[in-house]
């Protein structure tokens, strides 16, 4: 612009942007820029002015406008006007922030996987190595009872490691969309009764699992494999986080084509600060640090419930136990 605010030179973008941001007459004199009188702007703000502007008739476009004095000779001023289209700046920033957040989440996940694997494998691997070393050292000298104890340690530790791998694969399948729902006819009352009986056979006697039901129908259409994951993980957690033993109650209510499961314990409970993330992978309560676990069980349960189109929620009071509710359409 010259001293009379006439446009004496403009590139193609400048001309296009002036149509959106300015008011210019037939003599190429710029009267307004960003709805502000050009003379008033220059007189009020001096040698350099910068601000952002969104045209009323084009609300999806955003511009940054800069006016700077280039030549300041007597009666011979020259002003440089720079108009930057920053419409995509916020969107690009959002994309970058999301990418950074995703990278941070992946790094956290990698760290969690490494820590969990090393923690979960250390104890069973140590048990296996010690049992094998004991058999080798005293080969032919151990009585049958001690030999069987060593073999049981190897078997149980191997099963623990295999279960952890299976759970990792299951979570990965669910999150990649490869875990599918296959509904089949099922006698729900008998199915749950069988799961509870299996638990009673392998669990310590100081846990008492009470199974009750109130059903207007028995036959349902559910995925038995996913349902097994739901019930066994919730029962395992109820027992695991009740270190002093006691009553574990499982109640099934069936009506209006809905199966509602209620699993209740009197264990350590879930603290308020842990409730929000309790269904996330590798997340465990602050009060459960001394109890072995991977933080995968509830993540698996939630995925299996979601595949059924169901709901899961819980009530919990620290030191007074937790009650999980699972509602499945069937």
């Amino acid at each position: 612009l010259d001293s009379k605010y006439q446009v004496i030179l403009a590139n193609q973008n400048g001309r296009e942007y002036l149509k959106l941001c300015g008011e210019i007459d037939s003599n190429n004199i710029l009267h307004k820029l960003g709805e502000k009188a050009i003379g008033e702007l220059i007189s009020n703000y001096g040698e350099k002015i910068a601000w952002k502007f969104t045209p009323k008739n084009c609300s999806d476009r955003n511009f940054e406008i800069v006016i700077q004095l280039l030549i300041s000779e007597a009666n011979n001023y020259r002003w440089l006007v720079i108009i930057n289209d920053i419409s995509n700046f916020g969107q690009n920033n959002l994309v970058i922030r999301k990418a950074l957040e995703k990278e941070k989440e992946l790094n956290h996940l990698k760290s969690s996987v490494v820590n969990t694997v090393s923690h979960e494998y250390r104890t069973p691997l140590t048990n296996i190595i010690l049992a094998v070393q004991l058999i080798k050292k005293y080969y032919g000298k151990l009585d049958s009872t001690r030999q069987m104890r060593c073999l049981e340690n190897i078997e149980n530790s191997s099963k623990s490691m295999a279960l952890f791998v299976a759970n990792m694969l299951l979570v990965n399948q669910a999150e990649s969309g490869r875990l599918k729902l296959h509904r089949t006819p099922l006698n729900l009352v008998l199915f749950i009764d069988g799961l509870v009986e299996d638990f009673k056979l392998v669990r310590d006697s100081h846990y008492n699992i009470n199974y009750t039901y109130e059903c207007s129908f028995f036959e349902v259409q559910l995925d038995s494999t996913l349902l097994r994951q739901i019930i066994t993980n919730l029962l395992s957690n109820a027992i695991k986080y009740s270190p002093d033993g006691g009553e574990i109650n499982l109640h099934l209510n069936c009506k209006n084509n809905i199966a509602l499961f209620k699993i209740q314990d009197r264990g350590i409970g879930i603290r308020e600060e842990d409730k929000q993330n309790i269904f996330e992978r590798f997340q465990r309560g602050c009060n459960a640090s001394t109890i072995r676990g991977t933080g995968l069980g509830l993540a698996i349960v939630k995925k299996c419930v979601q595949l059924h189109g169901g709901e899961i929620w819980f009530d919990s009071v620290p030191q007074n136990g937790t009650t999980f509710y699972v509602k499945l359409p069937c």
Side-chain angles (χ1 to χ4, degrees):
L1 307 179
D2 62 13
S3 54
K4 294 181 179 180
Y5 312 132
Q6 184 179 35
V7 179
I8 56 177
L9 179 65
N11 65 6
Q12 185 59 38
N13 282 342
R15 294 184 187 280
E16 294 296 325
Y17 293 165
L18 279 176
K19 294 176 184 178
L20 292 170
C21 300
E23 183 181 305
I24 191 167
D25 64 18
S26 57
N27 295 317
N28 259 359
I29 294 177
L30 185 63
H31 294 280
K32 286 186 177 181
L33 192 58
E35 297 185 337
K36 298 180 181 180
I38 191 75
E40 183 181 340
L41 278 169
I42 290 173
S43 61
N44 286 342
Y45 294 99
E47 296 184 358
K48 186 174 182 179
I49 316 143
W51 75 99
K52 293 180 176 63
F53 172 68
T54 301
K56 287 184 177 179
N57 60 346
C58 197
S59 59
D60 61 334
R61 301 288 294 277
N62 296 294
F63 296 93
E64 181 184 56
I65 303 173
V66 179
I67 304 177
Q68 186 167 359
L69 181 64
L70 288 183
I71 300 174
S72 177
E73 298 175 356
N75 299 320
N76 185 24
Y77 292 91
R78 293 290 184 272
W79 299 91
L80 174 65
V81 178
I82 302 171
I83 306 174
N84 290 316
D85 187 347
I86 59 171
S87 303
N88 295 324
F89 182 75
Q91 184 178 356
N92 291 339
N93 269 357
L94 181 61
V95 171
I96 292 170
R97 283 200 301 272
K98 285 184 176 179
L100 289 173
E101 288 171 3
K102 186 66 175 178
E103 182 69 19
K104 184 178 179 181
E105 181 183 343
L106 288 173
N107 287 334
H108 177 70
L109 177 60
K110 290 176 185 176
S111 177
S112 298
V113 170
V114 171
N115 289 337
T116 304
V117 169
S118 61
H119 181 265
E120 285 302 305
Y121 270 24
R122 184 184 296 116
T123 300
L125 278 175
T126 301
N127 289 340
I128 291 171
I129 292 169
L130 288 175
V132 171
Q133 287 177 341
L134 188 62
I135 292 173
K136 286 175 65 179
K137 184 175 182 179
Y138 296 103
Y139 182 75
K141 299 178 182 179
L142 291 176
D143 59 39
S144 59
T145 301
R146 291 186 179 181
Q147 289 181 38
M148 185 58 64
R149 190 179 302 161
C150 288
L151 292 173
E152 286 175 350
N153 282 340
I154 293 172
E155 181 183 25
N156 292 334
S157 296
S158 300
K159 284 181 178 179
S160 174
M161 295 168 67
L163 178 62
F164 175 68
V165 172
N167 285 340
M168 291 280 287
L169 291 173
L170 189 63
V171 170
N172 182 60
Q173 283 182 321
E175 296 191 345
S176 63
R178 291 183 289 114
L179 186 63
K180 304 298 181 182
L181 177 71
H182 301 286
R183 292 181 183 269
T184 57
L186 190 69
N187 185 311
L188 188 56
V189 172
L190 292 180
F191 182 81
I192 301 301
D193 184 62
L195 294 181
V196 172
E197 289 303 313
D198 289 344
F199 265 87
K200 289 180 178 179
L201 287 174
V202 298
R203 296 294 174 175
D204 295 336
S205 59
H206 66 296
Y207 293 100
N208 187 24
I209 303 176
N210 301 313
Y211 170 47
T212 58
Y213 57 87
E214 184 180 350
C215 295
S216 59
F217 58 88
F218 291 172
E219 295 297 325
V220 297
Q221 292 280 338
L222 293 172
D223 187 315
S224 60
T225 301
L226 299 185
L227 181 59
R228 183 183 298 274
Q229 287 286 345
I230 294 169
I231 301 304
T232 55
N233 272 294
L234 290 177
L235 280 178
S236 294
N237 280 355
I239 293 170
K240 183 191 301 180
Y241 297 113
S242 302
D244 297 328
E247 301 285 329
I248 307 295
N249 297 313
L250 192 163
H251 181 71
L252 169 62
N253 186 289
C254 303
K255 62 180 179 180
N256 301 325
N257 295 321
I258 295 292
L260 178 64
F261 301 88
K262 177 182 176 183
I263 296 96
Q264 182 183 42
D265 66 62
R266 296 297 177 189
I268 62 174
I270 302 169
R271 294 183 180 181
E272 196 65 36
E273 59 268 29
D274 297 321
K275 289 181 178 180
Q276 184 176 355
N277 300 317
I278 203 66
F279 291 108
E280 298 297 321
R281 295 167 298 176
F282 305 112
Q283 293 295 321
R284 304 185 70 217
C286 298
N287 56 345
S289 58
T290 59
I291 301 173
R292 286 194 63 193
T294 62
L296 290 175
L298 288 178
I300 290 171
V301 169
K302 186 170 184 180
K303 294 293 183 184
C304 294
V305 170
Q306 288 175 335
L307 283 171
H308 276 94
E311 301 175 50
I312 181 169
W313 67 96
F314 64 91
D315 297 319
S316 187
V317 178
Q319 304 306 320
N320 284 320
T322 302
T323 302
F324 276 92
Y325 302 88
V326 173
K327 183 166 72 172
L328 301 178
C330 54

